[in-house]
Amino acid sequence: MSDGLEQKSSPTKGFVALIDVLGFTNLVNRDSGGERIERYLSCLEQATKNCNVDSVVFSDSIILSVGGSGPEPLSRLVRACSHLMWDLLIEGIPLKGAIAAGSFIRRESSGSVFIAGKAIIEAYHYEQIQNWIGIVLAPSVIEQVPEIKSLCSMRDLPNDFSKLGEFFAESEWSARVQRFQTIPFKEESSDLSASYDGLAVIPIGRYGNFGEIANAIQRAIERLEWLRMIAPSPAAQRKYDKPIALLNGLTYYWLRVARWAQEIKD
């Protein structure tokens, strides 16, 4: 019996996303019938459906985790975060979070879930010191998967139709993760400046073509701009400036790719 317990509690190496649901108190206070909470939970269910990503929810905190190493499990977690971020933006619910790599223990017992470990501590640290609306990849992720920097780079358009499928498959990374050199962090962070050069998750739901990627980004920008307008203070409004700038910078590229794909098909 002791061997079984030790095996269950052995640390898993993988990736963890810790996400804070902003404005959760107002969401609950204004949701007398529970409809918005149901949509919130439905968004989480849809984002993690069929991607083999584990989830734990406690009030305004979401923890997503996946075991394994390399780009493949990380891709599944990034896809879930990207999808969740977009779906909740459409519902008017902004997120702030971080993805970290490392060891963690996840244990289910009698209907409860216990999860802890180095990866969660790092994800929590980077979630706390951000000063915007967004999800970043902590340095441990880049250390564990150094090829991610090239995987998520914008690719030159191929010259012929035969390469369209390959280009579409390779674009999964660049559609969902991008480098952003001015991610805002809190001034009081002792180990980071107010601006951070890192990788950020792009909010996009499921898509079937390049036009849908461009449309999803434009829709996310619209929702961020609306949330900025109703934010309660100038400081709260400023948290939306950088994510809007990041997505605006991507819009032209994906519109160009969508036009090219249509032209090459025609």
Side-chain angles (χ1 to χ4, degrees), residues 14-19 44 47-48 50-56 62-68 70-85 98-102 104 115 119 123 135-138 141 148 172-173 176-177 201-202 204:
F15 304 93
V16 172
L18 193 146
I19 301 168
L44 176 61
T48 56
N50 301 324
C51 62
N52 196 25
V53 171
D54 294 317
S55 64
V56 179
I62 300 170
I63 300 176
L64 304 179
S65 61
V66 59
E72 193 279 328
L74 176 60
S75 175
R76 286 188 276 121
L77 183 58
V78 164
R79 191 181 309 120
C81 290
S82 171
H83 192 173
L84 178 64
M85 192 178 180
I99 299 174
F104 62 93
I115 184 166
I135 299 174
V136 303
L137 275 60
V141 175
I148 190 173
E172 171 72 12
W173 274 107
R176 298 193 186 275
V177 179
V201 175
I202 307 302
I204 297 177

Side-chain angles (χ1 to χ4, degrees), residues 118-171:
K118 183 179 179 181
I120 295 174
I121 293 172
E122 184 184 22
Y124 176 77
H125 171 70
Y126 277 87
E127 182 274 319
Q128 285 288 298
I129 61 178
Q130 291 175 75
N131 196 29
W132 75 332
I133 306 302
I135 299 174
V136 303
L137 275 60
S140 60
V141 175
I142 302 170
E143 291 173 3
Q144 290 290 324
V145 189
E147 60 266 43
I148 190 173
K149 290 184 287 186
S150 60
L151 287 171
C152 69
S153 62
M154 296 296 196
R155 283 161 170 72
D156 294 330
L157 301 179
N159 296 321
D160 60 84
F161 180 76
S162 65
K163 297 183 181 298
L164 181 60
E166 179 183 349
F167 182 80
F168 184 79
E170 291 176 347
S171 296

Side-chain angles (χ1 to χ4, degrees), residues 22-244:
L22 303 177
F24 190 80
T25 299
N26 287 335
L27 184 153
V28 172
N29 288 337
R30 298 177 182 178
D31 189 32
S32 58
E35 293 87 357
R36 295 203 72 197
I37 293 295
E38 285 298 324
R39 292 201 297 273
Y40 161 58
L41 294 174
S42 177
C43 287
L44 176 61
E45 180 180 349
Q46 289 300 313
T48 56
K49 187 177 181 179
N50 301 324
C51 62
N52 196 25
V53 171
D54 294 317
S55 64
V56 179
V57 181
F58 177 74
S59 187
D60 61 348
S61 296
I62 300 170
I63 300 176
L64 304 179
S65 61
V66 59
S69 60
E72 193 279 328
L74 176 60
S75 175
R76 286 188 276 121
L77 183 58
V78 164
R79 191 181 309 120
C81 290
S82 171
H83 192 173
L84 178 64
M85 192 178 180
W86 193 85
D87 281 356
L88 288 180
L89 269 181
I90 300 305
E91 293 291 336
I93 303 171
L95 301 179
K96 179 166 69 87
I99 299 174
S103 61
F104 62 93
I105 293 174
R106 188 181 191 278
R107 175 87 175 268
E108 296 185 27
S109 177
S110 302
S112 299
V113 178
F114 171 84
I115 184 166
K118 183 179 179 181
I120 295 174
I121 293 172
E122 184 184 22
Y124 176 77
H125 171 70
Y126 277 87
E127 182 274 319
Q128 285 288 298
I129 61 178
Q130 291 175 75
N131 196 29
W132 75 332
I133 306 302
I135 299 174
V136 303
L137 275 60
S140 60
V141 175
I142 302 170
E143 291 173 3
Q144 290 290 324
V145 189
E147 60 266 43
I148 190 173
K149 290 184 287 186
S150 60
L151 287 171
C152 69
S153 62
M154 296 296 196
R155 283 161 170 72
D156 294 330
L157 301 179
N159 296 321
D160 60 84
F161 180 76
S162 65
K163 297 183 181 298
L164 181 60
E166 179 183 349
F167 182 80
F168 184 79
E170 291 176 347
S171 296
E172 171 72 12
W173 274 107
S174 56
R176 298 193 186 275
V177 179
Q178 278 299 308
R179 182 183 178 187
F180 195 47
Q181 293 178 288
T182 55
I183 297 171
F185 277 66
K186 296 176 181 177
E187 295 276 2
E188 62 269 23
S189 301
S190 59
D191 58 342
L192 292 171
S193 66
S195 184
Y196 182 65
D197 182 358
L199 296 173
V201 175
I202 307 302
I204 297 177
R206 290 190 173 89
Y207 61 85
N209 57 58
F210 294 116
E212 291 177 358
I213 296 176
N215 290 338
I217 291 175
Q218 290 179 313
R219 181 69 172 136
I221 292 171
E222 292 171 3
R223 296 303 286 170
L224 286 165
E225 289 177 338
W226 178 76
L227 286 167
R228 180 173 62 180
M229 288 183 64
I230 64 172
S233 69
Q237 287 185 331
R238 284 193 294 271
K239 293 182 180 181
Y240 292 89
D241 292 343
K242 291 295 186 178
I244 290 172

